[in-house]
Amino acid sequence: MSDRKHGVAIPARLVPFPASVSPEARASLARLVSEEGEPLNASYTMPLPEDHAGWMAVKAVADGQYATAVKGLAGTLRSSVETIQNGDVTIHVATPETMLKADFAYIDFHGGALVFGGGDACRAQARMQADQHGAVCYGVDYRMPPEHPYPAALDDAMAAYRHVLKSHVPSRIIVGGRSAGGNLAAAMLLRAKAEALPMPAGLILLSPQVDLTESGDSFQVNRTVDVVLPGSLMRNNLLYAGGADLSHPYLSPLFGDLTGLPPTFLQSGTRDLFLSNTVRMHRALRRDGVDAELHVFEGMPHGGFMGNTPEDRDLAEEIFRFVSRISGEASR
Amino acid sequence: MSDRKHGVAIPARLVPFPASVSPEARASLARLVSEEGEPLNASYTMPLPEDHAGWMAVKAVADGQYATAVKGLAGTLRSSVETIQNGDVTIHVATPETMLKADFAYIDFHGGALVFGGGDACRAQARMQADQHGAVCYGVDYRMPPEHPYPAALDDAMAAYRHVLKSHVPSRIIVGGRSAGGNLAAAMLLRAKAEALPMPAGLILLSPQVDLTESGDSFQVNRTVDVVLPGSLMRNNLLYAGGADLSHPYLSPLFGDLTGLPPTFLQSGTRDLFLSNTVRMHRALRRDGVDAELHVFEGMPHGGFMGNTPEDRDLAEEIFRFVSRISGEASR
């Protein structure tokens, strides 16, 4: 291969909003770009902070955005919620109005690029999951940088898992997370295995950030095609790692020995910056003998279409079906 | 949405060959682009024919390329093969040296953009499939345009299926195809259902061309990113249709009622022009209650890495496992 031959030259172009998704999904994509077709996402257009104070300011802005989103949800949530403190970790325990799965626990790790999304957003999400699954949901409000770099979040994940194991048999526990939450859910299981804890019944990884080195191909191909997550999160990843090796399986579970992990549900979208993360994790799980199923949604960016679109509902139904199968309940 | 807001503006860029695939797979991608990073594939760089004589000339060139590829395989094939004529359809019946699956039949539809890939290439592929599965393989050498437009190929597919049904119970038959072959495999089952024929035990769709209207998002996002299939095949599709409606389920099975189809294995790659075809078909099958599993390979273009790469072997192993499960045999 010659020195010049490094890749494929892609000409500039306008990639139209897909005609092959629902009108709601198309509108959701259109809301996220400027009149000139550029992604509006702040993490793409704004310079990232240089220091602790800068990060704290960015976190405040992001948390404000999450808080606004959460307020919009408040009227729709039916489950009750109690917030408990277990050593260093805060856990929001949401109990559904109608219990469909007795003795069952869903442990949820929120997303937010390993820096954002805690507090009220995490609490609301625990209630959403409890509503959706008709099961108790433990929303893990793990500590994050810049105040608490690695391994604080993973320590908190372990503490939360040990806490839930006290009141539930492993075969009645499912662990899951979206984006950064998928990182923690998978890393937590690798560490639980190393510490000889039992595996839960299932694992749910939604567009998971399982490779903090960002070595996957979709980090190139879907750069700016994904309007939710238009580019690299490396600055966040380095802040999170706090000097630890990004390729260690506790930081990038894609590179771990996945043998013995429970049945796993993986989701991504064709426009997802983390498409490669997801499909590589699916292949790695299957290579290691894990029962893993992959769902990739047409034209979907990172994290779904972010609304009540038919595609988001289809995904929710698939997750419900997986949880029901794992928990031994009939599908609705 | 304003008139200007039609999509996402992607700047020109060099998409590097992925570091996240095997060296063999990376070399395979590099062989398919020029020093300037442009796809070398003739269907992208050469003007398509305007008339019957032009198509026949292109077919002769393509068949010559297939013949060369087939010659390279000849020494590695172990199964025997017999070519039979059944009415209008030619079928290559390959019998493996070591029969692993008694009474079992694999019906294979070759790829080639609905215009190419018949004859010796189809015959060799039948032998490859017989070797791989340890089962009898029926390679359907269906008629193609420009001499024989739709519905000739589908008629031939039906004739082949009826032929195999005479000697095998449906629960011992699997139907599959790559690319255009995936179109015919799926369309044939829709027509078999309409004609009250029994369904086979399973369906294998490898990067399937299930939407001749090319409405999927990856036709935009992966244009020229996929160095095997860099752009539209619409000219082929129109030649194949011969005036029939491209969106009819017998031409674009993605738009059909898929209820009652057998367990289905689907494969694509993150760089595949047909990624959307594949993931949309997966979702449509699941929407219609079909047991369908999806496998998407990192950085893989249309049709695989076209060689003896670890990724191609991983895919072959997955297909073998699926066929073994469907046929009730133990996995190796």
Side-chain angles (χ1 to χ4, degrees):
Chain A
M1 191 178 340
S2 87
D3 284 350
R4 292 168 65 201
K5 205 162 170 178
H6 293 305
V8 184
I10 310 294
R13 60 189 173 202
L14 190 81
V15 176
F17 300 121
S20 47
V21 300
S22 68
E24 299 92 321
R26 202 160 51 249
S28 161
L29 292 177
R31 272 194 298 275
L32 292 165
V33 301
S34 72
E35 295 291 314
E36 290 72 36
E38 298 204 333
L40 294 168
N41 189 300
S43 73
Y44 175 65
T45 55
M46 277 172 47
L48 277 171
E50 296 287 344
D51 56 17
H52 185 96
W55 274 106
M56 293 305 285
V58 167
K59 272 183 88 156
V61 171
D63 286 349
Q65 290 170 344
Y66 279 105
T68 306
V70 163
K71 267 187 199 145
L73 278 175
T76 70
L77 298 171
R78 299 182 310 278
S79 52
S80 61
V81 63
E82 179 194 11
T83 296
I84 63 172
Q85 194 69 28
N86 185 277
D88 285 323
V89 63
T90 305
I91 308 174
H92 307 291
V93 187
T95 304
E97 209 174 45
T98 309
M99 187 76 82
L100 298 177
K101 298 181 182 69
D103 310 321
F104 196 83
Y106 188 101
I107 306 180
D108 181 55
F109 294 96
H110 68 80
L114 295 162
V115 180
F116 316 119
D120 284 348
C122 171
R123 185 177 162 99
Q125 191 176 306
R127 295 179 68 195
M128 280 177 62
Q129 302 283 3
D131 284 348
Q132 192 190 336
H133 296 292
V136 171
C137 177
Y138 294 80
V140 184
D141 203 349
Y142 51 85
R143 290 169 297 160
M144 293 185 288
E147 312 96 297
H148 305 287
Y150 177 88
L154 190 56
D155 287 344
D156 288 356
M158 292 300 294
Y161 188 47
R162 286 184 201 276
H163 173 75
V164 176
L165 280 171
K166 283 182 202 159
S167 51
H168 294 82
V169 293
S171 63
R172 301 295 289 163
I173 300 172
I174 278 191
V175 174
R178 191 187 293 271
S179 192
N183 177 300
L184 285 165
M188 188 271 273
L189 291 197
L190 292 182
R191 195 163 136 190
K193 191 172 66 162
E195 297 183 10
L197 292 179
M199 287 292 104
L203 173 63
I204 295 175
L205 301 177
L206 306 177
S207 190
Q209 194 179 11
V210 286
D211 171 17
L212 297 191
T213 74
E214 299 191 342
S215 63
D217 194 36
S218 64
F219 286 96
Q220 301 296 331
V221 174
N222 281 344
R223 182 156 51 92
T224 76
V225 173
D226 184 343
V227 291
V228 170
L229 201 56
S232 171
L233 289 171
M234 188 52 77
R235 293 281 291 279
N236 293 54
N237 299 351
L238 292 168
L239 184 77
Y240 172 78
D245 177 4
L246 290 179
S247 67
H248 188 285
Y250 288 175
L251 290 99
S252 293
L254 174 61
F255 304 124
D257 169 11
L258 308 175
T259 314
L261 259 58
T264 302
F265 178 103
L266 300 106
Q267 171 271 335
S268 185
T270 61
R271 291 195 176 202
D272 188 356
L273 192 75
F274 290 177
L275 175 62
S276 288
N277 279 349
T278 311
V279 306
R280 293 173 79 195
M281 189 70 177
H282 180 241
R283 296 247 51 82
L285 284 160
R286 294 188 67 85
R287 173 202 67 206
D288 288 347
V290 177
D291 170 12
E293 61 178 67
L294 176 66
H295 299 268
V296 178
F297 288 72
E298 168 73 346
M300 190 180 268
H302 182 65
F305 287 114
M306 308 268 171
N308 192 22
T309 70
E311 288 86 350
D312 290 305
R313 289 195 294 274
D314 183 15
L315 170 57
E317 284 292 318
E318 280 283 10
I319 297 171
F320 185 87
R321 181 201 49 74
F322 175 79
V323 172
S324 294
R325 172 168 76 86
I326 292 300
S327 65
E329 315 279 339
S331 251
R332 73 180 145 196
Chain B
M1 190 180 336
S2 87
D3 284 350
R4 293 170 65 201
K5 206 162 170 177
H6 293 306
V8 184
I10 311 294
R13 61 189 172 202
L14 190 81
V15 175
F17 300 122
S20 47
V21 299
S22 68
E24 298 92 321
R26 202 158 53 248
S28 161
L29 293 177
R31 272 194 298 275
L32 292 165
V33 301
S34 72
E35 295 292 313
E36 289 71 38
E38 298 204 334
L40 294 168
N41 188 300
S43 73
Y44 176 65
T45 55
M46 276 172 48
L48 276 172
E50 297 287 343
D51 55 18
H52 186 96
W55 273 107
M56 293 306 286
V58 167
K59 273 183 88 157
V61 171
D63 287 347
Q65 290 169 344
Y66 279 105
T68 305
V70 163
K71 266 188 198 146
L73 279 175
T76 69
L77 299 171
R78 299 182 309 278
S79 51
S80 60
V81 64
E82 178 194 10
T83 297
I84 64 172
Q85 194 70 27
N86 185 277
D88 284 324
V89 63
T90 305
I91 309 174
H92 307 291
V93 187
T95 304
E97 207 174 45
T98 309
M99 187 76 82
L100 298 177
K101 299 181 182 70
D103 309 323
F104 196 83
Y106 189 101
I107 305 179
D108 181 55
F109 294 96
H110 68 81
L114 294 162
V115 179
F116 316 118
D120 284 348
C122 171
R123 185 177 161 99
Q125 190 176 306
R127 295 179 67 195
M128 282 177 62
Q129 302 282 4
D131 284 349
Q132 191 191 337
H133 296 292
V136 171
C137 178
Y138 294 81
V140 184
D141 203 348
Y142 51 84
R143 290 169 297 161
M144 293 184 289
E147 312 96 297
H148 305 288
Y150 176 87
L154 191 56
D155 287 344
D156 288 357
M158 291 300 295
Y161 188 48
R162 287 183 200 275
H163 174 74
V164 176
L165 279 171
K166 283 183 203 159
S167 52
H168 294 81
V169 293
S171 63
R172 302 294 289 163
I173 299 173
I174 278 191
V175 174
R178 190 185 294 270
S179 192
N183 176 299
L184 285 165
M188 189 271 275
L189 291 196
L190 291 181
R191 196 165 136 189
K193 191 172 66 162
E195 297 182 10
L197 291 180
M199 287 292 106
L203 173 63
I204 295 175
L205 300 177
L206 306 177
S207 190
Q209 194 179 10
V210 286
D211 172 16
L212 297 191
T213 74
E214 300 192 343
S215 63
D217 195 36
S218 64
F219 285 96
Q220 301 295 331
V221 173
N222 280 344
R223 183 156 52 91
T224 75
V225 172
D226 184 341
V227 290
V228 170
L229 201 57
S232 171
L233 288 171
M234 188 51 78
R235 292 280 292 280
N236 293 54
N237 299 351
L238 291 169
L239 184 76
Y240 172 76
D245 178 5
L246 290 179
S247 67
H248 188 284
Y250 287 176
L251 290 98
S252 293
L254 174 62
F255 304 124
D257 169 10
L258 308 175
T259 314
L261 260 58
T264 302
F265 178 103
L266 300 107
Q267 171 271 334
S268 186
T270 61
R271 290 194 176 202
D272 188 355
L273 192 75
F274 290 177
L275 174 62
S276 288
N277 279 349
T278 311
V279 306
R280 293 174 79 196
M281 189 69 179
H282 180 240
R283 297 245 52 80
L285 284 161
R286 294 188 67 86
R287 173 201 67 206
D288 287 347
V290 177
D291 169 13
E293 61 178 69
L294 176 67
H295 300 268
V296 178
F297 288 73
E298 167 74 346
M300 189 179 268
H302 182 64
F305 288 114
M306 307 270 171
N308 192 20
T309 70
E311 288 86 350
D312 290 304
R313 288 194 295 273
D314 183 13
L315 170 57
E317 284 293 318
E318 281 282 12
I319 297 171
F320 185 87
R321 181 202 49 72
F322 175 79
V323 172
S324 295
R325 171 167 78 85
I326 292 299
S327 65
E329 315 281 335
S331 248
R332 72 179 148 199

